[in-house]
Amino acid sequence: MEDNQLIDRLENEYQSLPDETDEIVQHLIELGYLPQLNPEVFTDIQISVAEEAFIADLKQADFEDFKRDALALLFDRRSVLLKYSRKATDIDEGYVFENLPMPGSTGMIARIIHYRLELFGLWSLPIHAPYGKITARALKQLALYCEMDELSAINQTADIEGISRMLIETRPNEDFILTFSSAQIDKKYKRKELNSFYGRLKNDLPTDSAFLKKFEKNVIDVKKRHFNSGFLSVESQDDFKNFVIRLIQVHQWQEGLYDGNLDGKVGDVSIQSLRDAVELDRENTGKKERLKEKELLLFVDGYCLLNGYYFLRKYMLESEEGSGTKLWEAIDEQLSRADQEERQTYLQNVEEIKKRLRAETEKAKVVNGFFRRIYCGIKKVLKRALNFVKKFIKDLGRLIKKAWGFIKRVFKAFFEDLKMGIKAFVEGVKFLFGRKEIITTEGNSFLISKFQLDADCLNLCQDPNSVLVQNHSNKTRYQFAAMNFSLRMVVEILNIFIKAVSVMLWPLLLIQIVKVFKRISEEFKKLKSSVNLTTQTIVT
Amino acid sequence: MADELKKPVEGGFKKLLKNIGSAIEDAASLEVSTFTGKFNYQAVELIRNEVDRARVDSVLKKMTLTGDVNLDLFAFTSIKIDSDVTSVVRPDINLEEHKDLLNFHKEMLTESRAARKEIINTVKDLVKNI
């Protein structure tokens, strides 16, 4: 392998990828294992105690997937913590429960329920508070909004896209025309803007809509701009509509368009994020279908009206099947058709994203005394990104400027997969030509196994016992599972290269690595934890 | 990747393929050997010497230098690709006393066979596309 420039270059690429963020601490705060303070202030001991409590609760919760990964905890604790803390706070494809917890419970399920209720503005006590009457009351409220029983309602929050779809399908459209008081009251009112918003409203609501009639009477038909603020005030206090405002805020947060506080209050940051969402949508819409901001947002008399129906339907439209693999395949297809200049521009833009991601601290932040967090689930954002594939090749630079929050989420996921893919590929290649040793110790006993492709397996042992043998066997099984995964990567990537050697260029190769990694990962889901174990592989 | 970098990368891949192609011969047989003994090499030393980066060779060398090595071949198994299996075991094996050691040897044999099979499949998959 001396002079193998490909491996060297891939290893350099690996080194240049943005660092993993300190995501676990953020999730531990979100789940109430650490107080809502600036993550920087916690000592290692505090974090370690919180991690232990989190793991203990995970074990107790008896989640099937965690049972399968429990062994991996011995070898790669960090990856397991990251995976399960992310899963516990996921609202794309989060946990669903068979039963609600017993009163008084402070375990994992109670915490996840409180976390989700808090996201939707229905919980204001500490997340680690015992499951009790107040939880039951909040769940009842949620169930009322969703028009289903409490358990189904909390399970519905494991998939926020699903909850939006269900609401849109069951509630009248006018329930999603939202009103809130806005700081932007000094914005000069223009009749033209009012007409635009009204035009869109007529399009979205049935002609006999009660809201439409009230809107016409109290806003459209008034003379000299003397709107009936009583109507707007009543509208702004509607509980269900406030819940929908919160839902939209959570959607915006999920998609990387909003990083303000999740508090249901709509201020400048929320409004800007809604504008960004419209702008992002315009980027990828045909000219005829393009909507203007004034069709969706209206500022009158100290209030802002928002066509939430449009936004929720947009989130629903993203529900067509899609995944990271599909996105990377679509980008790959576009890249293989792109000319040299486009590829070069794409590559430069990706380098720019890497630099910006490295420069930014992705840790949860405390701003003005409030704890701000970054949503870490990726399914939704990747689905949405599928719509922007052409822009990724041709116009990524403009997207970086216009929708950085969204782009960074997409590429963070890309870099994570690339990192794992390169690691599996390089270690797989090295394994083919190297030697690997597995060592298990306990007290003065030890077992060493040395595996080689050409010189087989050499075992050395001192005072073995059955526990040691079992641990060593488990370790070996995991290592080989990880190695098999790596070898599959090697075969797939080399085969792609053999077929496409004349057109293979660097951005294409990187995309191929991610694509292959994702595909094999999906095939080898049961080995997911083993993949993480490649960090433990000793290659000589 | 710029064109000037393309050639070395292509070269790297070709070299890799050549190496992989020749690996299939090496994979034609599998040998598993298990040694036991009192090495006077404390487990704690393994840890101190950064186990993750320890080399068995250097561990053996160090043990040899201490002069206290009493290395016994406990079992040796050889498997040819045509399924001929040869096993050599210590004559004084006591099934009860050496149960853990026997299990260990058997486990490593099973895992090595599975791993070797996977390597052969990998090479076969590659070779058929060249």
Side-chain angles (χ1 to χ4, degrees):
Chain A
M1 295 299 298
E2 68 278 357
D3 84 338
N4 192 333
Q5 297 198 32
L6 174 77
I7 299 297
D8 290 347
R9 196 169 154 80
L10 279 174
E11 283 187 321
N12 288 338
E13 183 70 29
Y14 182 85
Q15 296 302 330
S16 78
L17 291 172
D19 282 339
E20 278 170 24
T21 57
D22 199 0
E23 206 185 301
I24 297 167
V25 170
Q26 179 190 321
H27 297 318
L28 291 174
I29 296 173
E30 288 174 315
L31 293 166
Y33 290 97
L34 286 168
Q36 290 204 359
L37 296 171
N38 189 335
E40 305 284 350
V41 305
F42 300 121
T43 62
D44 288 348
I45 295 171
Q46 280 175 305
I47 293 172
S48 170
V49 169
E51 286 175 356
E52 282 306 322
F54 172 71
I55 289 168
D57 281 351
L58 263 180
K59 284 180 182 161
Q60 190 118 37
D62 216 24
F63 294 134
E64 279 304 317
D65 53 352
F66 181 70
K67 277 192 218 162
R68 286 196 299 273
D69 278 350
L71 185 64
L73 209 51
L74 299 172
F75 307 112
D76 194 355
R77 187 182 156 87
R78 197 180 152 73
S79 298
V80 177
L81 276 168
L82 183 63
K83 177 178 170 179
Y84 286 94
S85 62
R86 192 181 271 187
K87 179 85 192 268
T89 52
D90 197 343
I91 48 168
D92 260 339
E93 38 191 3
Y95 281 117
V96 291
F97 313 117
E98 286 176 16
N99 299 299
L100 291 172
M102 297 296 284
S105 162
T106 53
M108 180 62 68
I109 298 177
R111 284 173 191 257
I112 294 176
I113 290 174
H114 290 157
Y115 160 78
R116 290 186 194 164
L117 288 171
E118 190 242 1
L119 277 187
F120 288 99
L122 297 167
W123 186 257
S124 52
L125 293 177
I127 302 293
H128 62 271
Y131 183 96
K133 282 183 185 164
I134 302 174
T135 319
R137 209 177 302 146
L139 280 175
K140 201 170 177 185
Q141 190 65 41
L142 179 71
L144 197 71
Y145 294 146
C146 298
E147 294 175 338
M148 53 180 68
D149 64 75
E150 283 88 342
L151 178 64
S152 309
I154 200 67
N155 280 338
Q156 190 75 64
T157 57
D159 169 18
I160 187 177
E161 200 176 294
I163 214 170
S164 302
R165 193 180 314 117
M166 182 272 297
L167 289 175
I168 281 277
E169 282 165 2
T170 55
R171 290 272 188 163
N173 296 359
E174 63 183 35
D175 281 2
F176 306 100
I177 309 303
L178 314 166
T179 307
F180 44 87
S181 54
S182 161
Q184 301 199 348
I185 43 172
D186 55 343
K187 185 178 183 294
K188 281 190 181 168
Y189 156 77
K190 286 178 189 159
R191 187 82 206 177
K192 233 170 127 183
E193 287 176 1
L194 182 57
N195 287 341
S196 294
F197 187 84
Y198 179 44
R200 179 78 211 171
L201 215 52
K202 282 198 287 186
N203 190 53
D204 287 343
L205 303 184
T207 45
D208 60 347
S209 150
F211 177 88
L212 196 61
K213 287 200 171 74
K214 279 188 207 162
F215 182 76
E216 283 165 348
K217 187 181 163 199
N218 294 295
V219 180
I220 296 293
D221 296 340
V222 295
K223 288 175 184 163
K224 295 182 184 173
R225 303 179 196 170
H226 290 131
F227 303 112
N228 182 349
S229 58
F231 161 68
L232 296 173
S233 169
V234 169
E235 280 292 314
S236 72
Q237 288 167 44
D238 184 299
D239 276 352
F240 176 76
K241 291 194 177 188
N242 282 321
F243 172 71
V244 176
I245 290 173
R246 185 77 169 215
L247 180 63
I248 289 177
Q249 213 174 38
V250 174
H251 270 293
Q252 293 285 95
W253 172 63
Q254 245 194 334
E255 297 196 4
L257 294 169
Y258 178 68
D259 66 354
N261 296 316
L262 288 167
D263 54 8
K265 288 177 192 154
V266 185
D268 290 350
V269 181
S270 300
I271 290 174
Q272 189 53 49
S273 92
L274 294 167
R275 287 184 165 139
D276 290 345
V278 178
E279 187 59 33
L280 193 61
D281 195 38
R282 279 167 62 79
E283 281 284 325
N284 212 41
T285 319
K287 269 187 184 169
K288 277 186 184 170
E289 296 86 42
R290 273 186 192 174
L291 277 178
K292 291 176 184 151
E293 184 192 307
K294 59 190 175 187
E295 291 178 62
L296 304 166
L297 276 165
L298 176 69
F299 299 92
V300 285
D301 235 14
Y303 289 92
C304 175
L305 280 94
L306 169 73
N307 188 328
Y309 179 69
Y310 163 84
F311 284 99
L312 286 184
R313 258 190 348 163
K314 265 287 141 207
Y315 304 134
M316 265 175 60
L317 285 176
E318 312 303 338
S319 70
E320 68 261 27
E321 205 182 316
S323 66
T325 312
K326 214 168 172 184
L327 174 68
W328 311 135
E329 277 175 1
I331 294 181
D332 182 41
E333 198 194 323
Q334 288 288 320
L335 260 178
S336 56
R337 277 196 248 135
D339 62 31
Q340 183 60 33
E341 201 181 322
E342 281 173 334
R343 283 178 186 163
Q344 200 55 41
T345 311
Y346 169 79
L347 191 59
Q348 278 164 7
N349 283 326
V350 173
E351 287 301 320
E352 168 69 20
I353 293 172
K354 261 193 230 169
K355 267 188 218 154
R356 287 181 70 160
L357 272 179
R358 272 203 307 270
E360 267 188 34
T361 53
E362 282 288 307
K363 284 182 179 172
K365 295 176 278 190
V366 172
V367 181
N368 299 332
F370 288 99
F371 167 60
R372 286 187 183 176
R373 52 211 189 189
I374 301 141
Y375 182 67
C376 301
I378 47 170
K379 184 179 143 200
K380 177 86 181 284
V381 83
L382 295 184
K383 270 189 190 176
R384 188 159 170 79
L386 260 179
N387 289 349
F388 294 93
V389 165
K390 284 185 185 166
K391 301 275 171 188
F392 281 136
I393 312 304
K394 294 190 176 146
D395 217 0
L396 185 56
R398 224 151 64 88
L399 274 181
I400 296 171
K401 287 188 190 108
K402 285 197 167 190
W404 169 238
F406 175 71
I407 289 297
K408 78 176 170 189
R409 293 277 316 282
V410 175
F411 277 87
K412 222 176 134 237
F414 175 76
F415 293 140
E416 264 181 33
D417 288 339
L418 184 59
K419 218 167 187 171
M420 300 269 268
I422 290 178
K423 196 174 190 129
F425 179 70
V426 170
E427 289 191 347
V429 169
K430 286 185 173 177
F431 175 72
L432 270 173
F433 306 107
R435 297 162 182 175
K436 200 165 69 66
E437 291 146 16
I438 297 171
I439 301 170
T440 309
T441 60
E442 188 195 87
N444 281 335
S445 302
F446 63 79
L447 297 174
I448 303 175
S449 294
K450 173 180 169 182
F451 300 91
Q452 279 177 250
L453 185 65
D454 53 352
D456 314 300
C457 171
L458 171 70
N459 301 311
L460 294 174
C461 37
Q462 176 167 281
D463 296 336
N465 59 54
S466 54
V467 176
L468 198 64
V469 168
Q470 190 56 46
N471 285 344
H472 193 79
S473 302
N474 285 340
K475 220 184 226 182
T476 309
R477 214 167 295 134
Y478 265 97
Q479 292 285 25
F480 277 121
M483 283 305 107
N484 289 346
F485 180 91
S486 307
L487 288 174
R488 284 286 303 276
M489 285 282 302
V490 175
V491 172
E492 297 267 355
I493 293 174
L494 289 184
N495 275 337
I496 288 162
F497 191 83
I498 293 160
K499 286 175 197 152
V501 73
S502 58
V503 292
M504 185 61 73
L505 293 167
W506 195 246
L508 274 171
L509 179 64
L510 298 184
I511 284 276
Q512 297 285 1
I513 289 174
V514 174
K515 245 176 67 185
V516 168
F517 173 75
K518 286 300 285 178
R519 193 161 48 72
I520 300 178
S521 291
E522 278 161 26
E523 281 174 33
F524 276 68
K525 251 190 179 145
K526 60 178 183 191
L527 294 183
K528 191 85 168 63
S529 54
S530 312
V531 177
N532 297 331
L533 287 174
T534 52
T535 50
Q536 300 286 314
T537 306
I538 308 153
V539 179
T540 66
Chain B
M1 181 170 42
D3 276 349
E4 69 270 16
L5 285 167
K6 197 173 144 192
K7 277 201 161 50
V9 169
E10 282 182 16
F13 262 114
K14 282 176 184 160
K15 188 170 188 310
L16 198 55
L17 281 174
K18 202 177 148 203
N19 286 348
I20 289 170
S22 64
I24 200 159
E25 284 177 30
D26 298 329
S29 70
L30 169 71
E31 289 176 359
V32 176
S33 323
T34 301
F35 290 92
T36 182
K38 290 283 173 200
F39 297 116
N40 285 346
Y41 193 87
Q42 306 292 307
V44 68
E45 284 186 69
L46 281 175
I47 294 160
R48 199 180 300 134
N49 289 336
E50 296 176 75
V51 171
D52 285 358
R53 287 197 286 279
R55 313 280 199 267
V56 173
D57 291 341
S58 63
V59 172
L60 275 172
K61 193 173 166 192
K62 187 160 184 220
M63 288 188 293
T64 312
L65 287 175
T66 62
D68 292 326
V69 181
N70 179 16
L71 206 60
D72 288 331
L73 176 66
F74 175 76
F76 168 83
T77 306
S78 167
I79 303 173
K80 299 275 178 216
I81 204 164
D82 57 8
S83 289
D84 267 359
V85 181
T86 313
S87 280
V88 178
V89 288
R90 255 166 64 168
D92 58 342
I93 276 189
N94 177 324
L95 281 181
E96 195 47 46
E97 187 189 336
H98 297 115
K99 191 177 75 184
D100 292 329
L101 261 177
L102 268 176
N103 279 342
F104 174 55
H105 185 80
K106 267 158 64 183
E107 283 276 357
M108 291 305 105
L109 193 60
T110 311
E111 295 306 328
S112 301
R113 277 181 94 164
R116 180 58 53 90
K117 198 174 158 197
E118 193 64 31
I119 290 169
I120 291 175
N121 286 341
T122 301
V123 177
K124 263 164 53 187
D125 278 354
L126 273 170
V127 173
K128 76 178 177 204
N129 283 300
I130 298 177

